[in-house]
Amino acid sequence: MISSFAKIIRLMSSDIEPAQLSLGICLGFVLGLSPAISIQALLAVVLLIILRANLSVLMLSAGLISIIAYLLDPLLLQLGSAVLSVAELNSLFSWMYNNSFWYLLRFNNTLNMGSLVISLAAFIPLFLLSNFLIKRYRVAIEKHWKSSRLFQYISQSKLLGKLTAVAERVS
Amino acid sequence: MNLIRTKGLIILLSLALLSVLTLVLFSASISKMILQSQLSSLNGAEVNINEAAVAFNPLVIKLDKIQVTNNENPLENSLEISKAVLEVDTRSLLRGRFIVNELQLDNIQFATQRMQAGAVFVEEDQTQEEKTPETDAGNGFMGASSLTMPDMDELINKTGLDTENAFKAVNEKAKQTKVSWADIESRVSDKNKWDGYSSRYNTVKTNIKSGSAKEKLQALKDFKDLKNEVSDELREIKKDKDKLKKDSDELNILYAQAKKMPGKDLQKIKSSISLNSGGVANISRLLFSEEITGYIESARNVYKKIAPYVAADEASEEQIVRGQGRYVEFKDNDPQPGFLIKKAGFTARLPAGKFDGKARYIAFDQKINNKPAEIKLSGKDLIHSKSEIMSAVLDLRDKKAPRFAVNYDIDQRNIRQYEVSAGTSLPLVMETAMLDMRSKASLQSGKLSADVDARFKKVKFDSTKDPSDKSFSSLVTAAMLNISEFNINAELKGTLNKPDIKIDSDIDNKINKQLSASFAKIRKDYEDQLALKIKNKYAADIDSIEQSVAGLDDLKRSINTKQTDITEKLNKYKK
């Protein structure tokens, strides 16, 4: 927990591009929300490999979101079921159902569909929001935070130094 | 800012390429692994595949030496296949369905030995199953376990014979007649009397010829007296003759009646005891029901293996498991069951010979493709028979009323040394026979219906029964040894666990005919002996009576002679 917190602080303060951090957050969100075998999970892994998304942030994000996703399961199931029942999309879904590729990706699973819809809907807004917040943090908060007495005390604290060293060794 | 990771792209492409290469290079191993796992799971015991080869487009899997462990005996294979070639529908495979367009299995063998014991995963159901009840072997066969004819002497003594009384009466009559005959004989044979009459006649004759008038008159008077006396004698003789005739006739009548009495007594004795075989009933059921029960047990074992797939799916409420979701079904353009073998060919090497087989639409979810599974197995020029054909249909389209039908035909199967009955009362072996059999059975919704028609020709039975044994079972055995052909028809109804078996055969009639003939001979021999015994019992009486009758005839002749002689003399006197 402490190492995660320390990591977040370090990343936020680092020179890593906000877009990379944001991408990590979004991809982590998708992976945390979706079942392992799903369209969005497969796509997220591909994007993870070919894009410069920050892996640490991704893992942190995925971990956090998966806990929330467990609680949101019933909502995702209802949403997926509702989408799969839309009459206008029936022909599309029938085509996908008869297509081996889409069939293998189990698009007709209510949980998959629910998490796909949320992932698609939330990806860009989350990316933009994360980006904005990281930039704001760096510009406004970081400077103020570093000049605060608490930050001075914590950064100079031997205990924090030791804990950070231990955490770094462990990670 | 460059978000794209070139290295990542290269890694991704490499991974993709690696996956494809792995699939291509290791497809055989992967297929082998998957198939072994799936088949083992299906079988409940280890299934081994020696080698596998995979070709793409079309997807063809070749397997070498498949060994299927027998659940009940892990050191044995229930099935071993030398080679299997499957053409699999790739598109269906991607959709999670295992559809085999064509399957060829070569050299199937059963009950082969394994080098190592195979693992068994599923314990056989140890619960006590209801055993097929013993079929009722029928009554009325061995009721008379020994054929004991009644003791003749005892029988004769017990039965009041009328012959005895008849001969007694005849003897009494003969005795009485003898006494009166003696009187008659003494009178007829009195020489002095007849000599006296002759002498008086001579004196009268002399006096009439050369005597004085007084002497002549006296002579005439004497002659008249003489004539009257002789006439009286003749009358007496006639009376005696008539009496003799009457006595003779009466004696003859009594004797004739007495001679008939032994025959009547024999009939009386015969009617007082039962000398019928009674016949046999259901010998065919006794001899062949065990064999049929064995076939039923085999059928039950086969059905036990397929029953889990035949059982109707119980409608259950779909449970939505957290983290797994629910699958929504859409219209399938090409609906197929999860597992289907469209067409299969196979060859099997059994102890009886080589069999060729074909199968179609092997699937357990037949509602989707709407076709029942069909299997046909045929063998020609087999070791023991000319041909054997088995065809079966498994119809699971309606799981609430599943149907399993089998036809099995045998042409000219040679039977050698088949133990029909091992019991000590009727040890019987069918040494040789030629069998033609037509059978069909169906099991629908748990109800069994089967019909077997078997024709045995060129039959030769043999038995270790002691030929000198005079028991009833020995007679039956002897009767069976004379049978050279017979038919059996068996009908089964009810359920597989409790079948009602009805066996009909013309062997019962044939045996009964043989038994009747054998028993008629035994009865005739017995009756002849009985007649002889009765006859011998009264032989002395018969001799005595015949002697008396012969004596009577002699007396009759003597009287006739005398009568003739006296009549001549009387006529001479009259002159």
Side-chain angles (χ1 to χ4, degrees):
Chain A
M1 190 72 184
I2 295 172
S3 78
S4 302
F5 180 69
K7 261 193 182 167
I8 292 169
I9 300 295
R10 209 176 15 263
L11 286 167
M12 296 286 270
S13 311
S14 66
D15 295 329
I16 299 171
E17 290 285 336
Q20 289 178 0
L21 293 172
S22 303
L23 204 56
I25 291 168
C26 292
L27 290 176
F29 175 81
V30 171
L31 284 171
L33 198 68
S34 310
I37 302 174
S38 58
I39 305 161
Q40 61 275 22
L42 182 66
L43 202 56
V45 167
V46 169
L47 288 174
L48 171 66
I49 294 170
I50 64 173
L51 296 177
R52 292 181 193 277
N54 188 275
L55 195 58
S56 304
V57 167
L58 184 143
M59 284 166 68
L60 279 169
S61 167
L64 191 65
I65 297 299
S66 63
I67 294 166
I68 299 168
Y70 183 80
L71 298 170
L72 289 175
D73 240 9
L75 177 67
L76 293 172
L77 286 168
Q78 273 186 15
L79 180 61
S81 185
V83 169
L84 287 168
S85 308
V86 171
E88 286 77 10
L89 297 173
N90 192 269
S91 56
L92 170 66
F93 289 146
S94 295
W95 176 81
M96 289 169 72
Y97 186 77
N98 286 285
N99 185 286
S100 305
F101 175 73
W102 293 109
Y103 184 89
L104 275 174
L105 289 175
R106 305 196 299 173
F107 81 96
N108 59 329
N109 182 277
T110 50
L111 188 64
N112 271 3
M113 183 54 74
S115 53
L116 173 65
V117 168
I118 300 278
S119 301
L120 285 174
F123 192 90
I124 293 172
L126 186 63
F127 178 83
L128 293 171
L129 182 64
S130 311
N131 221 26
F132 173 74
L133 287 174
I134 291 166
K135 282 177 182 172
R136 283 295 292 172
Y137 169 79
R138 284 180 181 177
V139 166
I141 301 171
E142 189 187 359
K143 193 178 174 184
H144 177 74
W145 167 246
K146 277 185 176 175
S147 63
S148 71
R149 280 194 181 186
L150 182 61
F151 180 80
Q152 299 284 339
Y153 174 75
I154 292 168
S155 62
Q156 285 167 11
S157 164
K158 285 183 184 174
L159 177 64
L160 179 63
K162 279 181 186 171
L163 286 173
T164 308
V166 166
E168 278 177 0
R169 263 208 298 279
V170 167
S171 64
Chain B
M1 179 199 66
N2 184 15
L3 272 178
I4 296 173
R5 208 194 319 248
T6 318
K7 278 185 187 172
L9 201 59
I10 294 167
I11 290 168
L12 185 67
L13 288 171
S14 305
L15 277 172
L17 191 64
L18 196 66
S19 302
V20 171
L21 279 171
T22 306
L23 195 66
V24 171
L25 294 173
F26 297 101
S27 57
S29 307
I30 295 166
S31 303
K32 180 179 157 182
M33 205 166 60
I34 293 170
L35 282 169
Q36 272 184 173
S37 165
Q38 291 298 315
L39 291 171
S40 297
S41 169
L42 206 66
N43 182 47
E46 192 178 342
V47 172
N48 304 102
I49 299 171
N50 200 26
E51 265 182 45
V54 178
F56 297 96
N57 201 28
L59 179 60
V60 174
I61 303 172
K62 290 181 188 174
L63 306 169
D64 270 343
K65 203 169 178 190
I66 304 166
Q67 293 180 308
V68 180
T69 306
N70 185 349
N71 296 16
E72 289 160 19
N73 181 5
L75 280 169
E76 191 181 86
N77 290 315
S78 56
L79 191 66
E80 185 174 329
I81 304 167
S82 294
K83 195 172 153 188
V85 179
L86 309 85
E87 189 198 310
V88 182
D89 184 16
T90 320
R91 188 173 166 275
S92 299
L93 198 63
L94 291 171
R95 293 177 62 76
R97 297 164 186 166
F98 195 72
I99 309 291
V100 178
N101 290 329
E102 197 165 333
L103 169 69
Q104 181 65 38
L105 302 172
D106 290 336
N107 200 21
I108 300 172
Q109 292 173 284
F110 298 93
T112 55
Q113 290 302 309
R114 288 179 66 89
M115 300 287 277
Q116 287 177 335
V120 177
F121 312 125
V122 175
E123 288 293 322
E124 279 293 304
D125 187 4
Q126 298 293 331
T127 56
Q128 288 291 325
E129 280 188 11
E130 200 175 335
K131 276 189 176 179
T132 305
E134 291 290 328
T135 54
D136 179 15
N139 307 326
F141 171 62
M142 291 303 179
S145 58
S146 66
L147 182 63
T148 313
M149 301 299 260
D151 182 78
M152 285 187 203
D153 293 325
E154 201 181 305
L155 199 59
I156 289 167
N157 293 336
K158 207 166 63 176
T159 311
L161 298 180
D162 294 330
T163 307
E164 190 148 352
N165 296 334
F167 278 116
K168 234 186 214 173
V170 171
N171 280 331
E172 277 301 314
K173 184 70 185 172
K175 256 187 212 169
Q176 286 168 6
T177 311
K178 242 185 182 170
V179 167
S180 52
W181 292 347
D183 291 341
I184 295 168
E185 196 176 12
S186 66
R187 201 163 42 249
V188 165
S189 306
D190 190 350
K191 194 174 180 320
N192 293 335
K193 184 168 74 179
W194 296 112
D195 286 344
Y197 286 141
S198 289
S199 150
R200 279 169 66 185
Y201 173 69
N202 288 334
T203 308
V204 161
K205 192 176 164 186
T206 305
N207 288 343
I208 289 173
K209 256 187 185 171
S210 56
S212 62
K214 194 178 173 182
E215 281 173 348
K216 279 187 186 170
L217 271 169
Q218 187 59 41
L220 278 168
K221 196 177 161 206
D222 285 342
F223 177 73
K224 201 176 171 185
D225 289 339
L226 181 64
K227 205 174 81 174
N228 287 337
E229 280 177 35
V230 171
S231 293
D232 287 341
E233 285 293 332
L234 271 177
R235 265 196 298 276
E236 285 301 313
I237 287 170
K238 192 175 178 299
K239 263 189 204 170
D240 289 339
K241 216 174 130 178
D242 289 340
K243 187 177 182 307
L244 202 63
K245 187 178 180 305
K246 190 181 159 195
D247 285 347
S248 171
D249 287 343
E250 278 175 11
L251 191 63
N252 279 333
I253 288 168
L254 279 175
Y255 182 48
Q257 282 174 352
K259 273 206 295 191
K260 283 181 189 170
M261 290 322 289
K264 284 187 180 171
D265 279 338
L266 181 66
Q267 288 302 323
K268 197 164 107 178
I269 291 171
K270 272 160 53 176
S271 63
S272 71
I273 57 169
S274 172
L275 293 178
N276 293 316
S277 67
V280 289
N282 294 323
I283 181 99
S284 49
R285 194 179 178 88
L286 174 73
L287 296 176
F288 300 105
S289 59
E290 203 176 302
E291 183 75 15
I292 290 171
T293 307
Y295 284 132
I296 293 169
E297 192 57 36
S298 301
R300 283 183 71 219
N301 289 336
V302 166
Y303 189 73
K304 201 169 69 172
K305 288 196 186 298
I306 64 170
Y309 305 101
V310 172
D313 294 325
E314 287 177 11
S316 58
E317 212 179 290
E318 193 181 348
Q319 297 289 331
I320 298 174
V321 180
R322 205 158 185 159
Q324 288 187 17
R326 175 178 67 87
Y327 287 92
V328 175
E329 305 289 332
F330 292 94
K331 186 183 172 227
D332 196 334
N333 294 340
D334 181 24
Q336 298 279 0
F339 171 79
L340 171 66
I341 299 173
K342 286 184 180 172
K343 196 166 103 176
F346 50 92
T347 61
R349 192 160 294 281
L350 304 176
K354 191 183 165 201
F355 284 81
D356 295 317
K358 288 178 189 174
R360 292 197 311 173
Y361 311 121
I362 307 293
F364 292 112
D365 190 359
Q366 294 176 358
K367 267 197 283 194
I368 297 173
N369 64 324
N370 200 31
K371 286 188 171 89
E374 298 168 4
I375 296 175
K376 188 175 174 182
L377 191 66
S378 64
K380 282 187 182 168
D381 298 326
L382 304 170
I383 293 170
H384 297 299
S385 50
K386 191 179 170 194
S387 74
E388 290 185 26
I389 300 173
M390 193 269 301
S391 60
V393 172
L394 180 62
D395 191 342
L396 302 174
R397 287 175 289 182
D398 181 2
K399 282 222 169 179
K400 285 179 187 165
R403 187 174 78 92
F404 182 48
V406 176
N407 285 8
Y408 186 34
D409 296 339
I410 296 174
D411 277 335
Q412 295 181 28
R413 179 188 274 188
N414 288 323
I415 295 174
R416 296 266 182 274
Q417 296 298 326
Y418 171 70
E419 190 174 68
V420 178
S421 168
T424 51
S425 60
L426 187 62
L428 198 67
V429 168
M430 194 185 287
E431 266 199 0
T432 57
M434 184 79 79
L435 168 69
D436 288 319
M437 187 176 85
R438 302 282 174 268
S439 63
K440 51 185 178 186
S442 76
L443 186 66
Q444 181 156 17
S445 305
K447 286 185 186 156
L448 174 70
S449 169
D451 189 83
V452 178
D453 181 31
R455 288 164 195 270
F456 292 84
K457 289 176 190 165
K458 297 180 189 174
V459 177
K460 193 180 166 200
F461 283 110
D462 192 22
S463 176
T464 54
K465 193 82 177 172
D466 182 3
S468 63
D469 182 356
K470 296 295 177 197
S471 65
F472 192 69
S473 60
S474 182
L475 279 180
V476 174
T477 308
M480 290 213 66
L481 296 181
N482 288 328
I483 290 172
S484 62
E485 61 179 53
F486 63 95
N487 303 332
I488 294 176
N489 182 262
E491 267 182 44
L492 290 87
K493 298 250 185 259
T495 64
L496 201 53
N497 288 336
K498 274 186 182 173
D500 179 28
I501 304 174
K502 188 178 146 192
I503 303 175
D504 282 323
S505 173
D506 61 351
I507 204 172
D508 294 332
N509 287 341
K510 289 180 188 226
I511 292 173
N512 279 330
K513 270 187 193 164
Q514 297 271 347
L515 271 183
S516 298
S518 301
F519 205 82
K521 188 176 176 305
I522 292 172
R523 188 172 56 216
K524 178 134 187 348
D525 290 344
Y526 182 80
E527 286 169 2
D528 288 346
Q529 282 178 32
L530 189 63
L532 190 63
K533 236 184 179 25
I534 293 170
K535 188 182 167 192
N536 290 343
K537 190 176 165 72
Y538 300 104
D541 289 317
I542 292 168
D543 282 342
S544 157
I545 290 164
E546 280 180 355
Q547 275 177 10
S548 300
V549 167
L552 183 63
D553 288 338
D554 290 341
L555 186 59
K556 268 164 82 174
R557 274 195 293 276
S558 167
I559 291 172
N560 282 340
T561 308
K562 209 54 159 188
Q563 188 185 25
T564 310
D565 191 33
I566 292 168
T567 308
E568 277 176 9
K569 280 185 179 166
L570 190 62
N571 290 339
K572 203 166 96 176
Y573 292 166
K574 282 179 182 172
K575 280 179 189 169

